[in-house]
Amino acid sequence: MKAGIYLSPKQVKMTEREMPVPRPDEALIKVSYAGICGTDMMIYHGLHPRAEAPLILGHEFSGIVAASDGDRVNKGDRVVVEPLLNCGFCAPCREGQAHVCKSLRYIGIDQNGGFAEYTTVPLHRLRVLPESVTEKMGAMIEPLAVAIHTVRRSKLKVGDTAAILGAGPIGLLIGLIAERAGAGKIVISDVSPVRLQAASKMGFEAVDARKTDISQVVKEYTDGCGADVVYEVAGNQTTADQMIECVKHQGEIAVVSVYKKPPVIQLAAMHFREISLMTTRCYSPGDFTKAIELLEQNKLNLDPLVSHTLPLEDIQTGFNLMENPDQALKILFKL
């Protein structure tokens, strides 16, 4: 079978691999679509603390069951993969918070993933896609669940002003979910014309961070107060500063980014205005279910987020495109 392999920093290649054989508690999946995520880019740059080459990347993917001996799915079922692998025994797992398991692992990071024609997946990590949800959109369910979890954990209320720092796929998805949650105004900043254009088309106030300070724009809309909730989704020192400048007194900052380099946080500036800071990690099973439901009900249009659909043979091209935010948004491989 064809497989996209991470070989070393900044080197990925499509090659031939033996088709995997599923264990009794696994199904064999014929992959349909798989997306490149920010975490895949971290692995690509050799910065992920756990991922080791050679590795088949990909944890955002959908497919069709090719073989299964279990009773959860049947051959021919169209499925999406919920890629979290938790231990089931630590305190978070016992408390029903498996997404913050002390030894959480991922399909596509800690074991081979979806950048391949076929892969094996534990039966309990498979969700059958509703008839109305395409396999292409199925590959968007995992990042959508991240956005749902983020907004659900935040204190956003109906009518609130939300500021989003970073208009990548997760930032834009957070905007869509914040809109559904009743946000009165959504302002989103970035430096990429491609991403800003996508934000504008989706109905958000798009701010070019190269030309305009988003905190000033937000304050114009809020009589000088600031945003009720700021979602930090860019992960750099500039946005670490801006998230404090953008938020109102007693407002909330939700940090979604995984910083590659620890930022300097101006805690004194937060202290004097009683600003709350919250972090968020991936999603719960309920968030994943809600993502499927929203797509089934045709409540969201995610097509504008997909900038490229490539064959797996173009895996290096895909990663090259992702290196430049001016060229790409969400890239999917069609297997």
Side-chain angles (χ1 to χ4, degrees), residues 26-37:
E26 294 178 329
L28 180 67
I29 305 301
K30 172 68 176 73
V31 178
S32 299
Y33 289 88
I36 302 178
C37 170

Side-chain angles (χ1 to χ4, degrees), residues 200-319:
S200 294
K201 286 183 177 179
M202 294 166 75
F204 307 134
E205 182 70 26
V207 176
D208 188 338
R210 297 170 301 179
K211 303 175 182 178
T212 307
D213 185 342
I214 185 175
S215 66
Q216 297 306 313
V217 176
V218 169
K219 287 172 183 175
E220 287 175 9
Y221 285 117
T222 58
D223 295 325
C225 292
D228 298 279
V229 182
V230 175
Y231 300 97
E232 196 292 299
V233 205
N236 58 64
Q237 185 61 56
T238 299
T239 52
D241 294 334
Q242 288 176 336
M243 68 185 186
I244 299 171
E245 297 166 1
C246 283
V247 72
K248 73 173 189 177
H249 62 282
Q250 295 183 324
E252 181 185 53
I253 297 167
V255 177
V256 187
S257 303
V258 178
Y259 280 77
K260 299 177 181 68
K261 180 181 179 181
V264 175
I265 304 296
Q266 302 299 331
L267 293 177
M270 297 178 62
H271 174 86
F272 293 128
R273 291 188 286 139
E274 291 191 340
I275 296 169
S276 299
L277 188 146
M278 178 270 290
T279 60
T280 180
R281 182 185 188 187
C282 54
Y283 42 82
S284 70
D287 300 318
F288 207 88
T289 298
K290 178 58 68 176
I292 296 172
E293 290 176 354
L294 288 175
L295 291 181
E296 181 182 18
Q297 296 161 8
N298 199 29
K299 296 292 180 64
L300 297 172
N301 178 17
L302 305 188
D303 287 325
L305 277 74
V306 180
S307 61
H308 297 77
T309 303
L310 304 174
L312 192 59
E313 287 83 352
D314 291 342
I315 184 170
Q316 185 66 64
T317 298
F319 277 83

Side-chain angles (χ1 to χ4, degrees), residues 56-67:
I56 299 175
L57 296 171
H59 61 272
E60 302 176 355
F61 63 103
S62 64
I64 299 172
V65 177

Side-chain angles (χ1 to χ4, degrees), residues 8-289:
S8 62
K10 293 196 174 184
Q11 186 179 8
V12 289
K13 182 180 180 181
M14 196 204 79
T15 186
E16 295 290 323
R17 279 281 187 97
E18 291 293 325
M19 188 181 298
V21 178
R23 300 192 305 260
D25 62 343
E26 294 178 329
L28 180 67
I29 305 301
K30 172 68 176 73
V31 178
S32 299
Y33 289 88
I36 302 178
C37 170
T39 304
D40 295 317
M41 294 306 296
M42 186 182 293
I43 296 170
Y44 177 70
H45 284 278
L47 299 175
H48 197 280
R50 300 193 314 272
E52 296 181 359
L55 174 69
I56 299 175
L57 296 171
H59 61 272
E60 302 176 355
F61 63 103
S62 64
I64 299 172
V65 177
S68 172
D69 291 331
D71 56 4
R72 297 179 67 98
V73 294
N74 299 307
K75 184 177 180 180
D77 282 346
R78 300 182 315 118
V79 293
V80 59
V81 175
E82 188 176 355
L84 308 187
L85 301 170
N86 63 296
C87 74
F89 303 105
C90 68
C93 286
R94 295 197 306 271
E95 294 166 3
Q97 304 297 326
H99 65 290
V100 287
C101 169
K102 288 185 177 180
S103 56
L104 187 67
R105 298 177 300 119
Y106 269 75
I107 295 169
I109 298 174
D110 300 281
Q111 66 181 56
N112 287 331
F115 289 179
E117 285 187 282
Y118 291 88
T119 190
T120 55
V121 177
L123 292 167
H124 71 288
R125 295 290 84 189
L126 295 171
R127 304 284 196 101
V128 176
L129 285 173
E131 288 185 9
S132 60
V133 179
T134 66
E135 289 149 53
K136 185 175 183 178
M137 286 299 99
M140 296 292 291
I141 287 172
E142 200 268 357
L144 178 58
V146 172
I148 291 169
H149 184 73
T150 298
V151 175
R152 182 175 63 79
R153 273 185 50 78
S154 74
K155 296 177 181 177
L156 186 75
K157 303 184 299 298
V158 173
D160 278 355
T161 296
I164 303 170
L165 308 179
I170 297 297
L172 293 172
L173 287 168
I174 288 171
L176 288 175
I177 299 303
E179 185 176 53
R180 285 198 55 80
K185 186 70 178 180
I186 299 171
V187 183
I188 185 165
S189 68
D190 208 288
V191 297
S192 163
V194 167
R195 297 182 175 200
L196 290 168
Q197 184 179 38
S200 294
K201 286 183 177 179
M202 294 166 75
F204 307 134
E205 182 70 26
V207 176
D208 188 338
R210 297 170 301 179
K211 303 175 182 178
T212 307
D213 185 342
I214 185 175
S215 66
Q216 297 306 313
V217 176
V218 169
K219 287 172 183 175
E220 287 175 9
Y221 285 117
T222 58
D223 295 325
C225 292
D228 298 279
V229 182
V230 175
Y231 300 97
E232 196 292 299
V233 205
N236 58 64
Q237 185 61 56
T238 299
T239 52
D241 294 334
Q242 288 176 336
M243 68 185 186
I244 299 171
E245 297 166 1
C246 283
V247 72
K248 73 173 189 177
H249 62 282
Q250 295 183 324
E252 181 185 53
I253 297 167
V255 177
V256 187
S257 303
V258 178
Y259 280 77
K260 299 177 181 68
K261 180 181 179 181
V264 175
I265 304 296
Q266 302 299 331
L267 293 177
M270 297 178 62
H271 174 86
F272 293 128
R273 291 188 286 139
E274 291 191 340
I275 296 169
S276 299
L277 188 146
M278 178 270 290
T279 60
T280 180
R281 182 185 188 187
C282 54
Y283 42 82
S284 70
D287 300 318
F288 207 88
T289 298

